[in-house]
């Protein structure tokens, strides 16, 4: 039996989690900008999702929040307190806990797909949004620690900033099993609408080259302009794949039929589950985050879809899901989870995790979760995470001290002081 399994590395929600309305084109971020956030509840919700997946018998990994407020970023922009009106957003950027959405940390090509037989990870430059562009150097440090075993992993710096790259959120991998050689699907957008296209085709092509992928097993697919205009700022808001199954909204891709045909040409076993707009409109798909789901192969072999509660509670989505479960489709279980604090910033279950197919024994164990370690994390979060943050509090020294201390307590509890 292969030792390669899918490991989901969830980002622990950082103690500075707040709603600053920083992401143009991300409707939830815009809608909740200025609201009071609840970092402790947010981190406990995230941990609850990790525990949920652990209890399903899956291997669960974790990644730590990055250092915030980012004084280096503020210094490089010449920003000091007190800030004026024009500097407020940049200051908020330096406080953002956005690294929790680890689907944007990197693009991952597992060992069966690469020329040198190692799992390759390229950190995402995230240049389209200022608050996210500061993440990648710290992300690379963390990935180099978690995946330090160079016999099995290669971690690349981000591709040059001239080409925006948002990582695994715009990348899907299909195959007969996780351990088999895969078809890697890179989804990019084209600019032109009211909202930015955050993934550039050339960034995706660079990642494929860096990872040593077989061009015959790569697809570069354009995201539909309507999807971006409707608020699908990443492909993972309108489509998700797992092994032989693609679960997608009918308006996800610029050329849906061409995309499905190209997938079937490489993977004849592919099962493509298309949700028609007549059942769930693009607007409802984006409001409910139906597709921002974790499509998982459960230990028994059947597939489960971990969706946000918002999708489960949405009338049209629920009707469609009930019909799907009653049919004989490949997705056998629907598993709703509560990640409402993250959802209010546009981050559903799929945003919160980075998928890595690897042998868990080759990963630094400090980045793997067990029930016992989850108990430890829960205590640290309950004790050290701020209960709430009003965006007007950003910049306060007392808040900065508690955010820094909370992250420090987490790193010590995990034995990851090296990231301090
Ligand atoms: O980059 N939200 C994130 C959400 C990322 C979701 N990730 C995936 N779809 N994979 C973003 O837009 C909001 C921060 C704020 O407004 O305070 C934010 O960054």
């Amino acid at each position: 039996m292969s030792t390669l399994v899918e490991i989901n590395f969830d980002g622990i929600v950082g103690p500075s989690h707040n709603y600053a309305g920083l992401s143009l084109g991300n409707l939830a971020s815009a809608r909740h900008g200025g609201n009071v956030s609840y970092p402790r509840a947010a981190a406990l919700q995230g941990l609850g999702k990790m525990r949920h997946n652990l209890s399903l018998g899956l291997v669960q990994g974790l990644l730590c929040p990055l250092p915030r407020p980012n004084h280096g970023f503020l210094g490089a922009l010449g920003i000091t307190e007190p800030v004026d009106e024009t500097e407020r957003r940049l200051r908020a950027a330096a406080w953002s806990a956005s690294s929790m959405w680890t689907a944007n940390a990197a693009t991952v090509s597992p060992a069966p797909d690469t020329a040198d037989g190692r799992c390759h990870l390229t950190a995402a430059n995230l240049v389209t949004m200022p608050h996210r562009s500061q993440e990648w150097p710290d992300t690379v440090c963390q990935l180099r620690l978690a995946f330090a075993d160079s016999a099995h992993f290669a971690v690349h710096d981000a591709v040059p900033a001239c080409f925006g790259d948002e990582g695994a959120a715009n990348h899907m991998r299909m195959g007969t099993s996780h351990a088999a050689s895969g078809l890697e699907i890179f989804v990019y957008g084209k600019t032109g609408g009211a909202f930015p296209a955050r993934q550039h085709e050339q960034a995706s092509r660079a990642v494929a080259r860096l990872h040593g992928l077989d061009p015959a097993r790569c697809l570069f697919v354009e995201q539909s302009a309507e999807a971006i205009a409707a608020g699908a700022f990443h492909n993972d808001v309108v489509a998700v794949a797992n092994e032989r199954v693609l679960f997608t909204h009918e308006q996800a891709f610029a050329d849906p039929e061409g995309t499905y045909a190209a997938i079937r040409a490489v993977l004849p076993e592919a099962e493509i589950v298309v949700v028609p707009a007549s059942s769930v409109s693009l607007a409802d798909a984006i409001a409910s985050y139906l597709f921002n789901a974790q499509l998982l192969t459960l230990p028994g072999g059947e597939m489960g879809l971990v969706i946000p509660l918002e999708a489960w509670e949405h009338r049209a989505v629920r009707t469609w899901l009930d019909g799907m479960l009653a049919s004989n489709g490949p997705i056998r279980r629907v598993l709703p989870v509560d990640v409402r604090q993250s959802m209010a910033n546009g981050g559903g279950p799929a945003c919160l995790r980075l998928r890595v197919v690897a042998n868990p024994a080759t990963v630094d164990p400090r980045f793997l979760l067990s029930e016992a370690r989850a108990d430890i994390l829960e205590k640290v979060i309950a004790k050290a995470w701020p209960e709430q943050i009003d965006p007007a509090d950003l910049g306060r020294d007392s808040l900065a001290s508690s955010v820094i201390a909370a992250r420090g307590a987490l790193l010590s509890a995990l034995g990851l002081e090296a990231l301090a």
Side-chain angles (χ1 to χ4, degrees):
M1 209 183 102
S2 170
T3 51
L4 296 182
V5 298
E6 179 176 274
I7 313 170
N8 284 275
F9 289 83
D10 279 42
I12 296 171
V13 177
S16 69
H17 160 63
N18 70 89
Y19 299 122
L22 296 176
S23 277
L24 177 66
N26 170 343
L27 304 183
S29 152
R31 191 172 325 116
H32 296 98
N35 284 7
V36 170
S37 64
Y38 295 90
R40 191 183 303 163
L44 292 174
Q45 286 171 0
L47 186 61
K49 172 168 96 72
M50 290 189 241
R51 281 192 193 272
H52 171 265
N53 289 358
L54 205 55
S55 73
L56 293 170
L58 302 165
V59 185
Q60 180 66 49
L62 60 90
L63 290 169
C64 293
L66 303 184
R68 296 288 177 269
N70 186 346
H71 295 295
F73 184 72
L74 290 171
L77 291 166
I79 292 179
T80 49
E81 294 294 336
V83 299
D84 65 24
E85 218 26 69
T86 60
E87 296 163 342
R88 202 170 288 281
R89 280 174 76 78
L90 289 171
R91 181 186 59 192
W95 282 73
S96 179
S98 54
S99 67
M100 71 173 87
W101 299 297
T102 52
N104 304 116
T107 306
V108 185
S109 295
D113 302 355
T114 67
D116 66 5
R118 295 188 296 168
C119 175
H120 284 248
L121 302 96
T122 294
N125 62 29
L126 296 167
V127 289
T128 309
M129 295 292 150
H131 69 290
R132 305 223 56 184
S133 68
Q134 62 186 318
E135 290 176 28
W136 80 261
D138 289 317
T139 297
V140 155
C141 289
Q142 187 160 198
L143 295 176
R144 293 216 163 105
L145 204 56
F147 307 107
D149 182 345
S150 59
H152 295 98
F153 298 101
V155 178
H156 304 269
D157 283 353
V159 304
C162 47
F163 301 122
D165 180 20
E166 302 271 326
N170 293 310
H171 174 255
M172 301 183 290
R173 178 172 185 262
M174 296 182 72
T176 49
S177 73
H178 290 306
S181 120
L183 163 65
E184 298 208 11
I185 306 166
F186 294 84
V187 185
Y188 60 88
K190 283 194 180 154
T191 44
F195 296 148
R198 290 163 66 163
Q199 183 72 36
H200 196 290
E201 180 182 355
Q202 290 307 328
S204 300
R205 290 190 182 273
V207 170
R209 282 191 292 270
L210 288 167
H211 291 191
L213 301 182
D214 175 357
R217 301 186 71 81
C218 286
L219 286 181
F220 298 91
V221 171
E222 189 188 335
Q223 186 177 13
S224 82
E226 313 133 83
I228 298 176
F233 56 96
H234 291 135
N235 171 66
D236 69 3
V237 175
V238 281
V240 59
N242 182 58
E243 295 185 325
R244 64 184 198 291
V245 177
L246 170 65
F247 177 53
T248 179
H249 192 271
E250 81 169 322
Q251 289 164 293
F253 309 115
D255 174 13
E257 292 308 325
T259 302
Y260 309 154
I263 291 171
R264 291 197 176 101
V266 181
L267 187 70
E269 304 85 346
E271 286 193 59
I272 302 178
V273 180
V274 181
V275 180
S278 55
S279 301
V280 178
S281 68
L282 206 43
D284 283 349
I286 290 161
S288 68
Y289 261 37
L290 166 64
F291 296 93
N292 200 258
Q294 288 187 258
L295 183 54
L296 299 163
T297 303
L298 303 173
E302 81 277 25
M303 283 196 203
L305 192 68
V306 176
I307 58 166
L309 274 176
E310 286 81 346
W312 192 236
E313 290 164 355
H314 188 286
R315 190 191 293 260
V317 170
R318 179 67 166 270
T319 303
W320 192 86
L321 285 171
D322 286 343
M324 178 195 77
L325 286 171
S327 74
N328 204 20
I331 303 172
R332 306 305 316 152
R333 291 177 70 185
V334 174
L335 304 152
V337 291
D338 179 0
V339 287
R340 290 192 197 277
Q341 281 288 309
S342 169
M343 283 284 287
N345 249 338
C351 302
L352 285 162
R353 61 89 174 94
L354 182 69
R355 304 159 100 176
V356 179
V357 170
N359 175 352
T362 61
V363 176
D364 185 316
R366 292 173 294 180
F367 293 90
L368 296 176
L369 195 70
S370 61
E371 274 302 336
R373 298 190 89 220
D375 290 345
I376 294 171
L377 284 184
E378 191 170 325
K379 286 204 181 81
V380 173
I381 292 165
K383 186 159 171 235
W385 258 234
E387 189 187 345
Q388 63 178 67
I389 295 181
D390 184 320
D393 294 337
L394 300 181
R396 294 228 164 98
D397 284 345
S398 56
L399 183 61
S401 305
S402 57
V403 163
I404 292 165
R407 179 172 177 271
L410 175 84
L411 296 180
S412 315
L414 294 172
L416 284 168
E417 295 88 342
L419 292 172

